[in-house]
Amino acid sequence: MPVKLLATSLIALGAVCAALPALAADCSDTPYSGVDWSNCNKKNLMLESSDFEGANLSDADLSQTSLKGANLTSANFEKATLVRAWLEGAKADGAKFDKIEAYRSVFQNASAQKASFVAAELQRADFTGAQLSGSSFEKAELGRTNFSKATLSESKFSLANLSRANMVGATFGGQVSFDRAFMYLTRIEGVDLSSAQGLEQTQIELACGDASTKLPSGLKAPAGWPCPAETDN
């Protein structure tokens, strides 16, 4: 084959290879730091205390899987399914949970500081006692999500749906953002929101606080406070 023709063929072959999708993740791999389980079906598994630091779990299905006590530091869960999954006590600092589907998932006492939950579906999720400083829940669906006793310093809830979410006992240090968040019946009894950013009187009118709730300067407690106790959890 002439040299010029060979060179042309090699260039064409290189272009074809570049256009091919990357090799699929090996879903048969056991958990390890940096594992690629993207698009894998990992439902109903016991993966407690596993090491997934820096792992790629994007688009994976981890429904009803237990990740209790797992190391999820800087892991990528973008668009993963975590419906009824258990992440209790997990370490997920810096992890990416953007656009996950995680109804009724459990993050009790987990550490997810500076983690991203942007546009996540987290209705009825449980973050009781979780360390969430610097985390972002912007545009997230958080209806009836439980943030009781969680640490939410410097967190962002801009444009989030917080309807009926429970924030009683949560710690809000620093400039937490609630810009345009929907706060229908959000439980903020006894919560110190004095340094919160983006809060408006219309949001406070929808929320549920009491005489011990601390509001930013310029806002006042509505006449309708306190709200009746919730009966449907």
CSV table of all heavy atoms in Angstrom, one decimal, residues 47-106:
chain,number,residue,atom,x,y,z
A,47,LEU,N,-23.8,-2.8,50.8
A,47,LEU,CA,-22.5,-2.2,50.5
A,47,LEU,C,-22.0,-1.4,51.7
A,47,LEU,O,-21.3,-0.4,51.5
A,47,LEU,CB,-22.5,-1.4,49.2
A,47,LEU,CG,-23.0,-2.2,48.0
A,47,LEU,CD1,-23.2,-1.2,46.8
A,47,LEU,CD2,-22.0,-3.3,47.6
A,48,GLU,N,-22.4,-1.8,52.9
A,48,GLU,CA,-22.0,-1.0,54.1
A,48,GLU,C,-20.5,-0.9,54.3
A,48,GLU,O,-19.8,-1.9,54.1
A,48,GLU,CB,-22.7,-1.6,55.3
A,48,GLU,CG,-24.2,-1.6,55.2
A,48,GLU,CD,-24.9,-2.2,56.4
A,48,GLU,OE1,-24.2,-2.6,57.3
A,48,GLU,OE2,-26.1,-2.2,56.4
A,49,SER,N,-20.1,0.3,54.6
A,49,SER,CA,-18.6,0.6,54.9
A,49,SER,C,-17.7,0.4,53.7
A,49,SER,O,-16.5,0.3,53.8
A,49,SER,CB,-18.1,-0.3,56.1
A,49,SER,OG,-18.9,0.0,57.2
A,50,SER,N,-18.3,0.3,52.5
A,50,SER,CA,-17.4,0.2,51.3
A,50,SER,C,-16.7,1.5,51.0
A,50,SER,O,-17.2,2.6,51.3
A,50,SER,CB,-18.3,-0.3,50.1
A,50,SER,OG,-18.9,-1.5,50.3
A,51,ASP,N,-15.7,1.4,50.2
A,51,ASP,CA,-14.9,2.6,49.8
A,51,ASP,C,-15.2,2.9,48.4
A,51,ASP,O,-14.8,2.2,47.4
A,51,ASP,CB,-13.4,2.3,50.0
A,51,ASP,CG,-12.5,3.5,49.7
A,51,ASP,OD1,-13.1,4.6,49.5
A,51,ASP,OD2,-11.3,3.4,49.7
A,52,PHE,N,-15.9,4.0,48.2
A,52,PHE,CA,-16.3,4.5,46.9
A,52,PHE,C,-15.7,5.9,46.7
A,52,PHE,O,-16.2,6.7,45.9
A,52,PHE,CB,-17.8,4.6,46.7
A,52,PHE,CG,-18.5,3.3,46.6
A,52,PHE,CD1,-19.1,2.7,47.6
A,52,PHE,CD2,-18.5,2.6,45.3
A,52,PHE,CE1,-19.7,1.4,47.5
A,52,PHE,CE2,-19.1,1.4,45.2
A,52,PHE,CZ,-19.7,0.8,46.3
A,53,GLU,N,-14.6,6.3,47.4
A,53,GLU,CA,-14.1,7.6,47.2
A,53,GLU,C,-13.7,7.9,45.7
A,53,GLU,O,-13.0,7.1,45.1
A,53,GLU,CB,-12.8,7.8,48.1
A,53,GLU,CG,-12.2,9.2,48.0
A,53,GLU,CD,-11.2,9.4,49.1
A,53,GLU,OE1,-10.9,8.5,49.9
A,53,GLU,OE2,-10.6,10.5,49.0
A,54,GLY,N,-14.2,9.0,45.2
A,54,GLY,CA,-13.9,9.4,43.8
A,54,GLY,C,-14.6,8.5,42.8
A,54,GLY,O,-14.2,8.6,41.6
A,55,ALA,N,-15.5,7.6,43.2
A,55,ALA,CA,-16.1,6.7,42.3
A,55,ALA,C,-17.1,7.4,41.3
A,55,ALA,O,-17.6,8.4,41.6
A,55,ALA,CB,-16.8,5.6,43.0
A,56,ASN,N,-17.3,6.8,40.2
A,56,ASN,CA,-18.3,7.3,39.2
A,56,ASN,C,-19.5,6.4,39.3
A,56,ASN,O,-19.5,5.2,38.8
A,56,ASN,CB,-17.7,7.2,37.8
A,56,ASN,CG,-18.7,7.8,36.8
A,56,ASN,OD1,-19.7,8.4,37.1
A,56,ASN,ND2,-18.4,7.7,35.5
A,57,LEU,N,-20.6,6.9,39.9
A,57,LEU,CA,-21.8,6.1,40.0
A,57,LEU,C,-23.0,6.9,39.3
A,57,LEU,O,-24.1,6.7,39.6
A,57,LEU,CB,-22.2,6.0,41.5
A,57,LEU,CG,-21.1,5.2,42.3
A,57,LEU,CD1,-21.1,5.6,43.8
A,57,LEU,CD2,-21.3,3.7,42.2
A,58,SER,N,-22.6,7.7,38.3
A,58,SER,CA,-23.6,8.4,37.6
A,58,SER,C,-24.6,7.5,36.9
A,58,SER,O,-24.2,6.5,36.3
A,58,SER,CB,-23.0,9.4,36.6
A,58,SER,OG,-22.2,8.7,35.7
A,59,ASP,N,-25.9,7.8,36.9
A,59,ASP,CA,-26.9,7.1,36.3
A,59,ASP,C,-27.1,5.6,36.8
A,59,ASP,O,-27.8,4.8,36.2
A,59,ASP,CB,-26.7,7.0,34.7
A,59,ASP,CG,-27.0,8.4,34.1
A,59,ASP,OD1,-28.2,8.8,34.1
A,59,ASP,OD2,-26.0,9.0,33.6
A,60,ALA,N,-26.4,5.3,37.9
A,60,ALA,CA,-26.5,3.9,38.4
A,60,ALA,C,-27.8,3.8,39.2
A,60,ALA,O,-28.3,4.8,39.7
A,60,ALA,CB,-25.3,3.6,39.3
A,61,ASP,N,-28.3,2.6,39.3
A,61,ASP,CA,-29.6,2.3,40.1
A,61,ASP,C,-29.1,1.7,41.4
A,61,ASP,O,-28.8,0.5,41.4
A,61,ASP,CB,-30.5,1.5,39.3
A,61,ASP,CG,-31.9,1.4,39.9
A,61,ASP,OD1,-32.0,1.8,41.1
A,61,ASP,OD2,-32.8,0.9,39.3
A,62,LEU,N,-29.3,2.4,42.5
A,62,LEU,CA,-28.9,1.9,43.8
A,62,LEU,C,-30.1,1.9,44.7
A,62,LEU,O,-30.0,2.0,45.9
A,62,LEU,CB,-27.8,2.8,44.4
A,62,LEU,CG,-26.4,2.8,43.6
A,62,LEU,CD1,-25.7,4.1,43.7
A,62,LEU,CD2,-25.6,1.7,44.2
A,63,SER,N,-31.3,1.7,44.1
A,63,SER,CA,-32.5,1.7,44.9
A,63,SER,C,-32.4,0.6,46.0
A,63,SER,O,-32.0,-0.5,45.7
A,63,SER,CB,-33.7,1.4,44.0
A,63,SER,OG,-33.8,2.5,43.0
A,64,GLN,N,-32.8,1.0,47.2
A,64,GLN,CA,-32.9,0.1,48.3
A,64,GLN,C,-31.6,-0.6,48.7
A,64,GLN,O,-31.5,-1.6,49.3
A,64,GLN,CB,-34.0,-0.9,48.1
A,64,GLN,CG,-35.4,-0.3,47.9
A,64,GLN,CD,-36.5,-1.3,47.9
A,64,GLN,OE1,-36.8,-2.0,48.9
A,64,GLN,NE2,-37.1,-1.5,46.7
A,65,THR,N,-30.5,0.1,48.2
A,65,THR,CA,-29.2,-0.4,48.5
A,65,THR,C,-28.6,0.3,49.8
A,65,THR,O,-28.9,1.4,50.0
A,65,THR,CB,-28.2,-0.2,47.4
A,65,THR,OG1,-28.5,-1.1,46.3
A,65,THR,CG2,-26.7,-0.3,47.8
A,66,SER,N,-27.9,-0.5,50.6
A,66,SER,CA,-27.4,0.1,51.9
A,66,SER,C,-25.9,0.5,51.7
A,66,SER,O,-25.1,-0.3,51.3
A,66,SER,CB,-27.5,-0.9,53.0
A,66,SER,OG,-26.9,-0.4,54.2
A,67,LEU,N,-25.7,1.8,51.9
A,67,LEU,CA,-24.4,2.4,51.8
A,67,LEU,C,-24.0,3.0,53.2
A,67,LEU,O,-23.3,3.9,53.3
A,67,LEU,CB,-24.3,3.5,50.7
A,67,LEU,CG,-24.4,3.0,49.3
A,67,LEU,CD1,-24.8,4.2,48.4
A,67,LEU,CD2,-23.2,2.3,48.8
A,68,LYS,N,-24.6,2.4,54.2
A,68,LYS,CA,-24.3,2.9,55.6
A,68,LYS,C,-22.8,2.9,55.9
A,68,LYS,O,-22.1,1.9,55.7
A,68,LYS,CB,-25.1,2.0,56.6
A,68,LYS,CG,-26.6,2.1,56.5
A,68,LYS,CD,-27.2,1.2,57.6
A,68,LYS,CE,-28.7,1.3,57.6
A,68,LYS,NZ,-29.4,0.4,58.6
A,69,GLY,N,-22.4,4.0,56.4
A,69,GLY,CA,-21.0,4.1,56.8
A,69,GLY,C,-20.0,4.0,55.6
A,69,GLY,O,-18.8,3.9,55.9
A,70,ALA,N,-20.4,4.1,54.4
A,70,ALA,CA,-19.5,4.0,53.3
A,70,ALA,C,-18.7,5.3,53.1
A,70,ALA,O,-19.2,6.4,53.5
A,70,ALA,CB,-20.3,3.7,52.0
A,71,ASN,N,-17.6,5.2,52.4
A,71,ASN,CA,-16.8,6.4,52.1
A,71,ASN,C,-17.2,6.8,50.7
A,71,ASN,O,-16.8,6.1,49.7
A,71,ASN,CB,-15.3,6.0,52.2
A,71,ASN,CG,-14.4,7.2,51.8
A,71,ASN,OD1,-14.9,8.4,51.7
A,71,ASN,ND2,-13.1,7.0,51.7
A,72,LEU,N,-17.9,7.9,50.6
A,72,LEU,CA,-18.4,8.4,49.3
A,72,LEU,C,-17.8,9.7,49.0
A,72,LEU,O,-18.3,10.5,48.1
A,72,LEU,CB,-19.9,8.5,49.3
A,72,LEU,CG,-20.7,7.3,49.8
A,72,LEU,CD1,-22.2,7.6,49.9
A,72,LEU,CD2,-20.5,6.1,48.9
A,73,THR,N,-16.7,10.0,49.6
A,73,THR,CA,-16.0,11.3,49.4
A,73,THR,C,-15.8,11.6,47.9
A,73,THR,O,-15.2,10.8,47.2
A,73,THR,CB,-14.7,11.4,50.2
A,73,THR,OG1,-14.9,11.1,51.6
A,73,THR,CG2,-14.1,12.7,50.0
A,74,SER,N,-16.2,12.7,47.4
A,74,SER,CA,-16.0,13.2,46.1
A,74,SER,C,-16.6,12.2,45.0
A,74,SER,O,-16.2,12.3,43.8
A,74,SER,CB,-14.5,13.5,45.8
A,74,SER,OG,-14.0,14.4,46.7
A,75,ALA,N,-17.4,11.3,45.4
A,75,ALA,CA,-18.0,10.4,44.4
A,75,ALA,C,-19.0,11.2,43.5
A,75,ALA,O,-19.6,12.1,43.9
A,75,ALA,CB,-18.7,9.3,45.1
A,76,ASN,N,-19.2,10.7,42.3
A,76,ASN,CA,-20.2,11.3,41.4
A,76,ASN,C,-21.4,10.4,41.3
A,76,ASN,O,-21.4,9.3,40.7
A,76,ASN,CB,-19.5,11.4,40.0
A,76,ASN,CG,-20.5,12.0,39.0
A,76,ASN,OD1,-21.5,12.6,39.4
A,76,ASN,ND2,-20.2,11.9,37.7
A,77,PHE,N,-22.6,10.9,41.8
A,77,PHE,CA,-23.9,10.2,41.7
A,77,PHE,C,-24.8,10.9,40.8
A,77,PHE,O,-26.0,10.6,40.8
A,77,PHE,CB,-24.5,10.1,43.1
A,77,PHE,CG,-23.9,9.2,44.1
A,77,PHE,CD1,-22.8,9.6,44.9
A,77,PHE,CD2,-24.4,7.9,44.2
A,77,PHE,CE1,-22.3,8.7,45.8
A,77,PHE,CE2,-23.8,7.0,45.1
A,77,PHE,CZ,-22.8,7.4,45.9
A,78,GLU,N,-24.4,11.7,39.9
A,78,GLU,CA,-25.3,12.5,39.1
A,78,GLU,C,-26.3,11.6,38.3
A,78,GLU,O,-25.9,10.7,37.7
A,78,GLU,CB,-24.5,13.4,38.1
A,78,GLU,CG,-25.4,14.3,37.3
A,78,GLU,CD,-24.6,15.3,36.5
A,78,GLU,OE1,-23.4,15.1,36.3
A,78,GLU,OE2,-25.2,16.2,35.9
A,79,LYS,N,-27.5,12.0,38.5
A,79,LYS,CA,-28.7,11.3,37.8
A,79,LYS,C,-28.8,9.8,38.3
A,79,LYS,O,-29.5,9.1,37.6
A,79,LYS,CB,-28.5,11.3,36.3
A,79,LYS,CG,-28.6,12.7,35.7
A,79,LYS,CD,-28.5,12.7,34.2
A,79,LYS,CE,-28.6,14.1,33.6
A,79,LYS,NZ,-28.5,14.1,32.2
A,80,ALA,N,-28.2,9.5,39.4
A,80,ALA,CA,-28.3,8.1,39.9
A,80,ALA,C,-29.7,8.0,40.6
A,80,ALA,O,-30.4,8.9,41.0
A,80,ALA,CB,-27.2,7.8,40.9
A,81,THR,N,-30.2,6.7,40.7
A,81,THR,CA,-31.4,6.4,41.4
A,81,THR,C,-31.1,5.8,42.8
A,81,THR,O,-30.4,4.8,42.9
A,81,THR,CB,-32.3,5.4,40.6
A,81,THR,OG1,-32.5,5.9,39.3
A,81,THR,CG2,-33.6,5.2,41.3
A,82,LEU,N,-31.6,6.5,43.8
A,82,LEU,CA,-31.3,6.1,45.2
A,82,LEU,C,-32.6,6.1,46.0
A,82,LEU,O,-32.6,6.4,47.2
A,82,LEU,CB,-30.3,7.1,45.8
A,82,LEU,CG,-28.9,7.1,45.3
A,82,LEU,CD1,-28.2,8.5,45.5
A,82,LEU,CD2,-28.1,6.0,46.0
A,83,VAL,N,-33.6,5.6,45.3
A,83,VAL,CA,-34.9,5.5,46.0
A,83,VAL,C,-34.8,4.6,47.2
A,83,VAL,O,-34.4,3.4,47.0
A,83,VAL,CB,-36.0,5.1,45.0
A,83,VAL,CG1,-37.3,4.9,45.7
A,83,VAL,CG2,-36.2,6.1,43.9
A,84,ARG,N,-35.2,5.0,48.4
A,84,ARG,CA,-35.2,4.2,49.6
A,84,ARG,C,-33.8,3.6,49.9
A,84,ARG,O,-33.7,2.6,50.5
A,84,ARG,CB,-36.2,3.1,49.6
A,84,ARG,CG,-37.7,3.7,49.6
A,84,ARG,CD,-38.7,2.5,49.5
A,84,ARG,NE,-40.0,3.0,49.5
A,84,ARG,CZ,-40.8,3.3,50.5
A,84,ARG,NH1,-40.3,3.1,51.7
A,84,ARG,NH2,-42.0,3.7,50.4
A,85,ALA,N,-32.8,4.3,49.5
A,85,ALA,CA,-31.4,3.8,49.8
A,85,ALA,C,-31.0,4.3,51.1
A,85,ALA,O,-31.5,5.3,51.6
A,85,ALA,CB,-30.4,4.4,48.7
A,86,TRP,N,-30.1,3.6,51.8
A,86,TRP,CA,-29.6,4.0,53.1
A,86,TRP,C,-28.2,4.5,53.0
A,86,TRP,O,-27.2,3.8,52.6
A,86,TRP,CB,-29.6,2.8,54.1
A,86,TRP,CG,-31.0,2.4,54.4
A,86,TRP,CD1,-31.8,2.8,55.4
A,86,TRP,CD2,-31.8,1.4,53.7
A,86,TRP,NE1,-33.0,2.2,55.4
A,86,TRP,CE2,-33.0,1.3,54.4
A,86,TRP,CE3,-31.5,0.5,52.6
A,86,TRP,CZ2,-34.0,0.4,54.0
A,86,TRP,CZ3,-32.5,-0.3,52.2
A,86,TRP,CH2,-33.8,-0.4,52.9
A,87,LEU,N,-27.9,5.7,53.4
A,87,LEU,CA,-26.6,6.3,53.5
A,87,LEU,C,-26.3,6.8,54.9
A,87,LEU,O,-25.5,7.8,55.1
A,87,LEU,CB,-26.5,7.5,52.4
A,87,LEU,CG,-26.6,7.1,51.0
A,87,LEU,CD1,-28.0,7.1,50.5
A,87,LEU,CD2,-25.7,8.0,50.1
A,88,GLU,N,-26.9,6.2,55.8
A,88,GLU,CA,-26.8,6.6,57.2
A,88,GLU,C,-25.3,6.5,57.7
A,88,GLU,O,-24.6,5.5,57.5
A,88,GLU,CB,-27.6,5.7,58.1
A,88,GLU,CG,-27.6,6.1,59.6
A,88,GLU,CD,-28.5,5.2,60.4
A,88,GLU,OE1,-29.3,4.4,59.8
A,88,GLU,OE2,-28.5,5.3,61.6
A,89,GLY,N,-24.8,7.6,58.2
A,89,GLY,CA,-23.4,7.6,58.7
A,89,GLY,C,-22.4,7.6,57.6
A,89,GLY,O,-21.2,7.5,57.9
A,90,ALA,N,-22.8,7.8,56.3
A,90,ALA,CA,-21.8,7.7,55.2
A,90,ALA,C,-21.0,9.0,55.2
A,90,ALA,O,-21.5,10.1,55.7
A,90,ALA,CB,-22.5,7.6,53.9
A,91,LYS,N,-19.8,9.0,54.7
A,91,LYS,CA,-19.0,10.2,54.5
A,91,LYS,C,-19.0,10.5,53.0
A,91,LYS,O,-18.5,9.8,52.2
A,91,LYS,CB,-17.5,9.9,54.9
A,91,LYS,CG,-16.6,11.1,54.8
A,91,LYS,CD,-15.2,10.8,55.3
A,91,LYS,CE,-14.4,12.1,55.3
A,91,LYS,NZ,-13.0,11.8,55.7
A,92,ALA,N,-19.7,11.6,52.7
A,92,ALA,CA,-19.9,12.0,51.3
A,92,ALA,C,-19.5,13.5,51.1
A,92,ALA,O,-20.1,14.2,50.2
A,92,ALA,CB,-21.4,11.8,50.9
A,93,ASP,N,-18.5,13.9,51.8
A,93,ASP,CA,-18.0,15.3,51.6
A,93,ASP,C,-17.6,15.5,50.2
A,93,ASP,O,-16.8,14.7,49.6
A,93,ASP,CB,-16.9,15.6,52.5
A,93,ASP,CG,-17.3,15.5,54.0
A,93,ASP,OD1,-18.5,15.7,54.3
A,93,ASP,OD2,-16.4,15.2,54.8
A,94,GLY,N,-18.1,16.6,49.6
A,94,GLY,CA,-17.7,17.0,48.2
A,94,GLY,C,-18.3,16.1,47.1
A,94,GLY,O,-17.9,16.2,45.9
A,95,ALA,N,-19.2,15.2,47.5
A,95,ALA,CA,-19.9,14.3,46.5
A,95,ALA,C,-20.9,15.1,45.7
A,95,ALA,O,-21.4,16.1,46.0
A,95,ALA,CB,-20.5,13.2,47.2
A,96,LYS,N,-21.1,14.6,44.5
A,96,LYS,CA,-22.1,15.2,43.5
A,96,LYS,C,-23.3,14.3,43.4
A,96,LYS,O,-23.3,13.2,42.9
A,96,LYS,CB,-21.4,15.3,42.2
A,96,LYS,CG,-22.2,16.1,41.2
A,96,LYS,CD,-21.4,16.3,39.9
A,96,LYS,CE,-22.2,17.2,38.9
A,96,LYS,NZ,-21.5,17.4,37.6
A,97,PHE,N,-24.4,14.9,43.9
A,97,PHE,CA,-25.7,14.2,43.9
A,97,PHE,C,-26.7,14.9,43.0
A,97,PHE,O,-27.9,14.8,43.2
A,97,PHE,CB,-26.3,14.1,45.3
A,97,PHE,CG,-25.5,13.2,46.3
A,97,PHE,CD1,-24.6,13.7,47.2
A,97,PHE,CD2,-25.7,11.8,46.3
A,97,PHE,CE1,-23.9,12.9,48.0
A,97,PHE,CE2,-25.0,11.0,47.1
A,97,PHE,CZ,-24.1,11.6,48.0
A,98,ASP,N,-26.2,15.7,42.1
A,98,ASP,CA,-27.1,16.5,41.2
A,98,ASP,C,-28.0,15.6,40.4
A,98,ASP,O,-27.7,14.5,39.9
A,98,ASP,CB,-26.2,17.3,40.2
A,98,ASP,CG,-25.4,18.3,40.9
A,98,ASP,OD1,-25.5,18.5,42.1
A,98,ASP,OD2,-24.6,19.0,40.2
A,99,LYS,N,-29.3,16.0,40.4
A,99,LYS,CA,-30.4,15.4,39.6
A,99,LYS,C,-30.6,13.9,40.0
A,99,LYS,O,-31.1,13.1,39.2
A,99,LYS,CB,-30.1,15.5,38.1
A,99,LYS,CG,-30.0,16.9,37.7
A,99,LYS,CD,-29.7,17.0,36.2
A,99,LYS,CE,-29.5,18.5,35.7
A,99,LYS,NZ,-29.2,18.5,34.3
A,100,ILE,N,-30.3,13.5,41.2
A,100,ILE,CA,-30.6,12.1,41.7
A,100,ILE,C,-32.1,12.0,41.9
A,100,ILE,O,-32.8,13.0,42.2
A,100,ILE,CB,-29.8,11.7,42.9
A,100,ILE,CG1,-30.1,12.6,44.1
A,100,ILE,CG2,-28.3,11.7,42.7
A,100,ILE,CD1,-29.6,12.2,45.4
A,101,GLU,N,-32.5,10.8,41.8
A,101,GLU,CA,-33.9,10.4,42.2
A,101,GLU,C,-33.8,9.6,43.5
A,101,GLU,O,-33.3,8.5,43.5
A,101,GLU,CB,-34.6,9.6,41.2
A,101,GLU,CG,-36.0,9.3,41.5
A,101,GLU,CD,-36.7,8.5,40.4
A,101,GLU,OE1,-36.1,8.4,39.2
A,101,GLU,OE2,-37.8,7.9,40.6
A,102,ALA,N,-34.2,10.3,44.7
A,102,ALA,CA,-33.9,9.7,46.0
A,102,ALA,C,-35.0,9.8,46.9
A,102,ALA,O,-34.8,10.3,48.1
A,102,ALA,CB,-32.6,10.2,46.5
A,103,TYR,N,-36.2,9.5,46.5
A,103,TYR,CA,-37.4,9.6,47.4
A,103,TYR,C,-37.1,8.7,48.6
A,103,TYR,O,-36.7,7.5,48.5
A,103,TYR,CB,-38.6,9.2,46.7
A,103,TYR,CG,-38.9,9.8,45.4
A,103,TYR,CD1,-38.7,9.0,44.2
A,103,TYR,CD2,-39.2,11.1,45.2
A,103,TYR,CE1,-38.9,9.6,43.0
A,103,TYR,CE2,-39.4,11.7,44.0
A,103,TYR,CZ,-39.2,10.9,42.8
A,103,TYR,OH,-39.4,11.5,41.6
A,104,ARG,N,-37.5,9.2,49.8
A,104,ARG,CA,-37.4,8.4,51.0
A,104,ARG,C,-36.0,7.8,51.3
A,104,ARG,O,-35.8,6.8,52.0
A,104,ARG,CB,-38.4,7.3,51.1
A,104,ARG,CG,-39.9,7.8,51.2
A,104,ARG,CD,-40.8,6.7,51.4
A,104,ARG,NE,-42.2,7.1,51.4
A,104,ARG,CZ,-42.8,7.6,52.5
A,104,ARG,NH1,-42.2,7.6,53.7
A,104,ARG,NH2,-44.1,7.9,52.5
A,105,SER,N,-35.0,8.4,50.8
A,105,SER,CA,-33.6,8.0,51.1
A,105,SER,C,-33.2,8.4,52.5
A,105,SER,O,-33.7,9.4,53.0
A,105,SER,CB,-32.6,8.5,50.0
A,105,SER,OG,-32.8,9.9,49.9
A,106,VAL,N,-32.2,7.8,53.1
A,106,VAL,CA,-31.9,8.0,54.5
A,106,VAL,C,-30.4,8.5,54.5
A,106,VAL,O,-29.5,7.7,54.2
A,106,VAL,CB,-32.1,6.8,55.4
A,106,VAL,CG1,-31.6,7.1,56.8
A,106,VAL,CG2,-33.5,6.4,55.3
